Amino acid sequence: MSAAVSRRGFLGQAAGLAIAFYVPLGSGPKVAQAAAEKGAKAAAKAVPLPPANAFLHIGTDDSVTVLLAHSEMGQSMWTALPMLITEELECDWSKVRAEHAPAADVYKFPMFGMQMTGGSSSTYGEFDRYRTIGATAKHLLLEAAAKRLHTTPDRLTVDKGVITFGKQTLTYGQVAEEAMKLPQPATVKLKDPKDWKVIGHPTKRLDSPEKIDGTAKFGMDVQFPGLRTAVVARPPAFGAKLVSYDDSAALAVRGVEKVVRTTDGVAVVAKNFWAAKLGRDALKIQWQQPADGGVSTAKQIAEFHDLAKKPGAIGTNKGDVDAAMASAAGKIEVDYGFPYLAHAPMEPLNCAVKFENGKVDVWTGTQFQTFDQVAVAKVFGVKPTDVDIHTMFLGGGFGRRGNPKSDWIVEAAEIAKATGLPIKTVWTREDDIRGGYYRPSYLHRVTVGVDSRGMPVAWDHVVVGQSIMAGGPMEAIMVKHGVDESSVEGLGDNPYLESVSAKRVSLHSPKTDIPVLWWRSVGNTHTAFAMECAIDELAHRAGKDPLAYRLALLEGKTRHVNALKLAAARASWGTPPEKGRARGMAIHESFGSIVAEVAEVSVDNGVIRVHSVTCAVDCGGVVNPLGVEAQVQGSVAFGLTAALHGELTFENGHAKQSNFHDYKPLRMYEMPVVAVHTIDSGAKRGGIGEPSTAPIAPAVANAVFALTGQRLRSLPLRLA
Amino acid sequence: MKLHINGTVRDVEEPGDTPLLWVLRDELGLVGTKFGCGMAQCGACTVHLDGKPTRSCVLPAASVGDRHVTTIEGLSKDGPHAVQKAWLEADVVQCGYCQSGQLMTAAALIEAKPDPTDNDIDAAMSGNVCRCGTYQRVREAIHLAAKIRKGAAK
Ligand code: FES
Ligand code: FES
């Protein structure tokens, strides 16, 4: 095994002098969260203490190693979760390190009952568990120190891992071994938020040093003696099937060792990537075209428009929409269109698998350890506990690395099994862009009846697009009466519509051969655009300022109102922008957080330029302001890519785009200045990795309208 | 074939038409240089060739000749480079996958333009894609690196 691989050892294998700090497991201990967050009374919650030994090691060298139950894909959970522990443990931040945890039951995420990363949930979803682990460890360390110093824990003070009693001091490392022999406390008290020294304070990332000198290890970087590289030929069109293949030319390529079938395609296994890639290029494969001819974009759009003429499965239905529409003083009817999108994480997919003595080792960047473990176990016919998942740094995930079908991992396992060799698959960028599991294409038909003042009184919203959840393990929870909640999230319960007495949201979920998946902020990527653009159109139709119109509809929704007002104020809404520029706004709630954005744009030779984006973010409370700012900037860039460029089109099931020249990412010269203003509302904490993604496209579209008078109703935005 | 890499001469057995990127990664184990697109579109594979930023994914190893290759592993030979210091200070990285390439391009930029303007940064850095969207902090860090570099030269 390479150093990269072996250093991921855990529990009891800590390097050097460090000794794992074990908190003995008590039976049914309880935690009293005496200091709950703002406003909450000292409420004793009867939940078992998490086993701190699984999450925390304290070395005799005073090092503190935090085991992370989630995957680091850029979102900075790698820093935020150790901050939570440090807050309670009162250890020395400069000695804190983090590691990905292995795949095991103890690391299952209480919010979802499985080990996973997604839904912008890692930090707020672990807010209690990781703080409690820190508090438990501190309790035991102080108890051990008190014994050594012949006193009681309450007479000790601790600062940065140094325990003081009168003139005597002890470090955590010096008492770690004794502490591990003590029984687990029945309860621990968490700090009062007013005493926080770490939470809420700007903290630099713990993973920066290894990410700036090339030593951080991604799945792509896994190497060990004997490991081969596999490059796979997959169907050139969705729905196409392998008929036959001739591998003689591939096997003649220097370095190619084997060619094997996978469920969908043909894998070329070689001593390195380049040989495997040349080998794949040399394969002669006969594919059978999809029986129905495959998806073609123009045809699909026409079909979606046909479907949108009638309501689909009912998601929300309040009042008599048809009657209210008929008696409305005025009406707008608009369609909004959205293309398929690839996630295109910077690191193309890859997965290393080794099968030896009935055990499987998997090295990859994944968001879904629990699913992967089960899927790989099935391929090899072993128990899930015989599958070790070594989570490497993820070179971006955005949802693509969280697939309940574990597609790229199962494929790698199949190849390892068929060849009997340790192999690492490497996808090319073309494989990635053409590989499916996209954000689905959607069409929204929005019909709004308004009263004489231009305020909505009837709202009929038809959505057409593939279901992400259908056919997957989440179907039972997410698909209700034929409505995939993720296709319509943010519509039925949208705060703008609260006062609208007649509303209907319905959904058509046509099936295609194109596999689809969640893409950073999921359904909000299209629902926020439809809502915020429609509201903007209504404001204009009513002759009202877009801010004033929104505020009128949002009356009583304090958090929304505050976010909109803050973003508007900071963006100088109401004062004229520089000549040749205009502003547009949008607000959307998702993943428990509310984000308002004001974009300032110009048009330069027919090209939309976004100069600045002012964001007001209410995620309840902030753990790391630096992390929040980075996630908002990143989400804006991600959403802007979709707003300005992102589009996959198909002909006979074949994706026309293939790499960054025709599936364009946002680049440096297109990056606006993003200002991030957070609101410490004290509301229930929400996520931050995704919620700023959705508002940017409508904010830009609305600004473009203000500037040019053109309503651009489909993405990517293209001026006439 | 012999290649000058990070100050040492390395023997390479792979065929000369193998892209330098894959010689670095698969043959020499220098995996800090990343694969992102394979067609000179993303900059993840950026190395220096006699100090000039170059896309190693489309450069046949044989064409390197006597020129000196510097990879991210060789950037900080004499202690952290100004761009690395600035990157830490500005807390730039997210997933980190594009960052080797960003740093190599940025290091070459401040060498060529000790006081880069925002336009210089746009021109030099627009070939480096970051899907995490770290551009704003990359820009900030480059301005900072230029200051650090000047301070050190004084
Ligand atoms: S991998 Fe070389 S430019 Fe993208
Ligand atoms: S930091 Fe993730 S791609 Fe740049």
Side-chain angles (χ1 to χ4, degrees):
Chain A
M1 272 201 292
S2 74
V5 169
S6 63
R7 72 170 259 282
R8 312 215 77 81
F10 56 96
L11 296 188
Q13 300 170 14
L17 270 178
I19 288 174
F21 169 68
Y22 286 90
V23 177
L25 292 175
S27 51
K30 309 257 161 76
V31 61
Q33 288 176 296
E37 286 206 53
K38 239 180 225 172
K41 276 265 169 297
K45 265 206 245 160
V47 295
L49 284 178
N53 60 324
F55 292 88
L56 184 61
H57 302 162
I58 294 178
T60 50
D61 60 354
D62 293 329
S63 64
V64 173
T65 305
V66 176
L67 276 283
L68 304 166
H70 299 269
S71 308
E72 177 58 41
M73 48 189 182
Q75 83 279 39
S76 199
M77 164 285 313
W78 193 273
T79 306
L81 299 193
M83 283 173 74
L84 298 178
I85 285 200
T86 302
E87 182 65 70
E88 294 293 336
L89 182 57
E90 312 247 7
C91 55
D92 180 355
W93 179 251
S94 71
K95 300 207 168 90
V96 177
R97 303 284 171 267
E99 269 184 36
H100 281 135
D105 278 351
V106 67
Y107 301 112
K108 284 184 173 165
F109 189 22
M111 255 177 89
F112 292 99
M114 55 186 252
Q115 196 172 339
M116 56 80 72
T117 305
S120 295
S121 59
S122 300
T123 300
Y124 82 85
E126 294 288 9
F127 195 69
D128 291 344
R129 182 161 73 161
Y130 271 73
R131 282 187 305 150
T132 304
I133 291 158
T136 306
K138 180 185 166 194
H139 176 101
L140 293 167
L141 288 159
L142 288 188
E143 220 171 88
K147 272 206 185 111
R148 178 97 69 91
L149 299 168
H150 307 291
T151 181
T152 50
D154 58 307
R155 302 184 63 193
L156 305 176
T157 57
V158 57
D159 184 37
K160 295 201 171 77
V162 179
I163 303 157
T164 304
F165 177 56
K167 287 205 173 81
Q168 307 179 73
T169 61
L170 283 170
T171 67
Y172 277 174
Q174 288 170 324
V175 292
E177 279 179 272
E178 286 152 64
M180 71 190 246
K181 295 177 194 137
L182 297 172
Q184 177 113 346
T187 60
V188 290
K189 261 188 187 177
L190 298 180
K191 279 182 175 176
D192 190 304
K194 74 171 170 17
D195 299 325
W196 285 344
K197 290 183 268 194
V198 181
I199 294 170
H201 295 266
T203 306
K204 289 195 182 134
R205 300 179 63 110
L206 284 178
D207 54 354
S208 274
E210 55 195 310
K211 287 180 174 178
I212 59 163
D213 68 2
T215 57
K217 293 291 181 276
F218 299 84
M220 189 67 91
D221 306 328
V222 171
Q223 295 182 336
F224 53 84
L227 180 69
R228 318 297 206 280
T229 303
V231 175
V232 182
R234 300 179 189 85
F238 295 105
K241 299 259 178 308
L242 183 93
V243 178
S244 63
Y245 66 95
D246 171 359
D247 58 11
S248 48
L251 285 164
V253 171
R254 181 181 183 270
V256 170
E257 296 178 12
K258 290 190 182 192
V259 175
V260 296
R261 273 217 57 170
T262 64
T263 299
D264 299 325
V266 183
V268 176
V269 178
K271 66 171 180 169
N272 59 34
F273 170 80
W274 194 247
K277 197 232 166 231
L278 292 180
R280 182 181 69 171
D281 293 348
L283 283 173
K284 290 187 193 69
I285 306 181
Q286 249 209 302
W287 302 98
Q288 185 185 57
Q289 280 306 299
D292 63 354
V295 170
S296 291
T297 298
K299 201 168 126 233
Q300 188 187 57
I301 290 175
E303 286 165 6
F304 279 19
H305 274 92
D306 264 353
L307 284 169
K309 286 178 187 153
K310 291 208 183 92
I314 300 294
T316 302
N317 201 7
K318 191 182 140 197
D320 187 340
V321 174
D322 299 320
M325 201 68 77
S327 64
K331 195 169 103 167
I332 66 162
E333 189 178 39
V334 281
D335 289 351
Y336 298 102
F338 307 86
Y340 286 96
L341 295 173
H343 304 73
M346 254 346 264
E347 178 195 17
L349 294 172
N350 56 76
C351 178
V353 179
K354 185 178 82 173
F355 181 57
E356 211 172 69
N357 306 324
K359 303 260 183 209
V360 193
D361 281 290
V362 176
W363 295 268
T364 193
T366 177
Q367 299 175 235
F368 271 7
Q369 288 81 354
T370 302
F371 281 130
D372 302 338
Q373 220 178 10
V374 171
V376 170
K378 216 169 131 200
V379 172
F380 287 99
V382 298
K383 295 196 297 288
T385 46
D386 288 330
V387 178
D388 262 344
I389 308 268
H390 308 266
T391 302
M392 310 301 290
F393 277 124
L394 280 64
F398 314 122
R400 179 61 183 95
R401 286 187 157 92
N403 187 349
K405 298 197 173 83
S406 308
D407 66 305
W408 80 100
I409 296 170
V410 166
E411 181 190 67
E414 287 178 351
I415 300 165
K417 190 180 175 197
T419 57
L421 295 169
I423 63 98
K424 175 175 72 174
T425 54
V426 173
W427 293 46
T428 63
R429 179 58 61 195
E430 289 79 7
D431 296 339
D432 169 61
I433 302 288
R434 294 187 160 153
Y437 295 103
Y438 304 129
R439 196 288 303 272
S441 160
Y442 289 95
L443 174 75
H444 286 232
R445 171 152 298 176
V446 188
T447 312
V448 188
V450 294
D451 63 17
S452 57
R453 298 168 307 134
M455 302 311 273
V457 288
W459 195 286
D460 190 8
H461 203 127
V462 186
V463 179
V464 186
Q466 273 175 264
S467 166
I468 294 170
M469 305 293 171
M474 254 72 125
E475 181 169 11
I477 316 163
M478 291 297 290
V479 183
K480 300 217 174 81
H481 312 294
V483 178
D484 179 339
E485 177 51 34
S486 79
S487 300
V488 294
E489 58 187 341
L491 295 177
D493 59 354
N494 194 290
Y496 287 128
L497 306 188
E498 224 159 77
S499 58
V500 178
S501 51
K503 58 183 170 182
R504 179 169 62 208
V505 177
S506 70
L507 174 70
H508 298 276
S509 304
K511 293 196 168 81
T512 82
D513 282 327
I514 300 179
V516 294
L517 199 58
W518 28 65
W519 186 100
R520 198 174 192 170
S521 89
V522 201
N524 302 289
T525 57
H526 50 102
T527 59
F529 187 81
M531 285 307 301
E532 281 299 323
C533 290
I535 291 290
D536 218 73
E537 300 207 25
L538 292 171
H540 181 73
R541 193 187 176 285
K544 301 228 173 74
D545 172 71
L547 173 63
Y549 189 84
R550 282 176 170 81
L551 290 175
L553 276 174
L554 292 172
E555 213 186 297
K557 309 292 284 182
T558 319
R559 293 177 74 196
H560 289 79
V561 166
N562 289 345
L564 259 184
K565 282 186 173 166
L566 179 63
R570 296 303 168 96
S572 305
W573 189 269
T575 67
E578 207 176 287
K579 198 166 168 284
R581 293 191 185 182
R583 300 190 191 105
M585 63 169 46
I587 182 170
H588 193 69
E589 177 175 356
S590 56
F591 309 96
S593 298
I594 295 162
V595 181
E597 296 178 12
V598 175
E600 189 169 312
V601 310
S602 69
V603 171
D604 181 9
N605 279 321
V607 176
I608 298 165
R609 298 297 306 264
V610 183
H611 299 276
S612 64
V613 180
T614 308
C615 308
V617 180
D618 177 358
C619 55
V622 173
V623 171
N624 184 3
L626 277 181
V628 167
E629 186 194 65
Q631 282 310 294
V632 175
Q633 291 177 348
S635 298
V636 166
F638 205 79
L640 210 44
T641 291
L644 300 178
H645 305 303
E647 180 178 38
L648 289 171
T649 51
F650 298 87
E651 214 168 275
N652 305 321
H654 174 75
K656 290 197 214 159
Q657 293 74 18
S658 63
N659 205 317
F660 290 135
H661 65 295
D662 54 8
Y663 188 74
K664 291 194 162 87
L666 193 83
R667 291 177 181 273
M668 174 64 93
Y669 74 97
E670 300 168 300
M671 181 72 193
V673 174
V674 180
V676 182
H677 306 282
T678 52
I679 300 169
D680 192 7
S681 67
K684 189 171 172 293
R685 283 170 190 270
I688 200 61
E690 297 168 270
S692 307
T693 312
I696 187 62
V700 170
N702 293 337
V704 169
F705 171 76
L707 186 69
T708 66
Q710 289 186 45
R711 277 290 175 197
L712 304 182
R713 299 194 182 97
S714 54
L715 294 180
L717 302 171
R718 289 199 183 102
L719 287 162
Chain B
M1 163 175 54
K2 290 201 188 308
L3 290 177
H4 296 266
I5 296 170
N6 297 333
T8 58
V9 178
R10 305 288 298 261
D11 268 312
V12 169
E13 282 171 15
E14 283 305 305
D17 55 2
T18 307
L20 175 63
L21 171 65
W22 296 106
V23 169
L24 292 172
R25 289 185 56 85
D26 283 356
E27 191 172 1
L28 303 176
L30 295 168
V31 294
T33 305
K34 302 302 188 205
F35 166 57
C37 70
M39 60 179 295
Q41 287 290 318
C42 77
C45 65
T46 307
V47 298
H48 292 177
L49 218 56
D50 282 348
K52 292 212 173 56
T54 305
R55 307 293 184 237
S56 65
C57 68
V58 290
L59 185 75
S63 71
V64 172
D66 286 339
R67 289 179 288 178
H68 287 245
V69 178
T70 308
T71 69
I72 185 72
E73 290 90 348
L75 185 66
S76 48
K77 255 195 336 273
D78 322 308
H81 189 282
V83 289
Q84 290 172 315
K85 287 184 192 157
W87 247 243
L88 282 182
E89 185 54 36
D91 209 40
V92 172
V93 309
Q94 290 190 28
C95 85
Y97 194 79
C98 73
Q99 298 295 339
S100 297
Q102 304 277 359
L103 284 151
M104 295 308 284
T105 308
L109 168 63
I110 61 166
E111 208 50 56
K113 302 217 157 129
D115 213 349
T117 62
D118 279 335
N119 283 341
D120 293 333
I121 292 173
D122 283 347
M125 302 303 297
S126 284
N128 285 82
V129 172
C130 176
R131 284 290 283 152
C132 297
T134 61
Y135 299 123
Q136 191 163 337
R137 289 191 182 173
V138 167
R139 182 186 301 280
E140 222 175 280
I142 291 174
H143 286 306
L144 186 59
K147 277 200 200 103
I148 294 173
R149 184 178 170 279
K150 273 197 262 171
K154 259 180 222 154

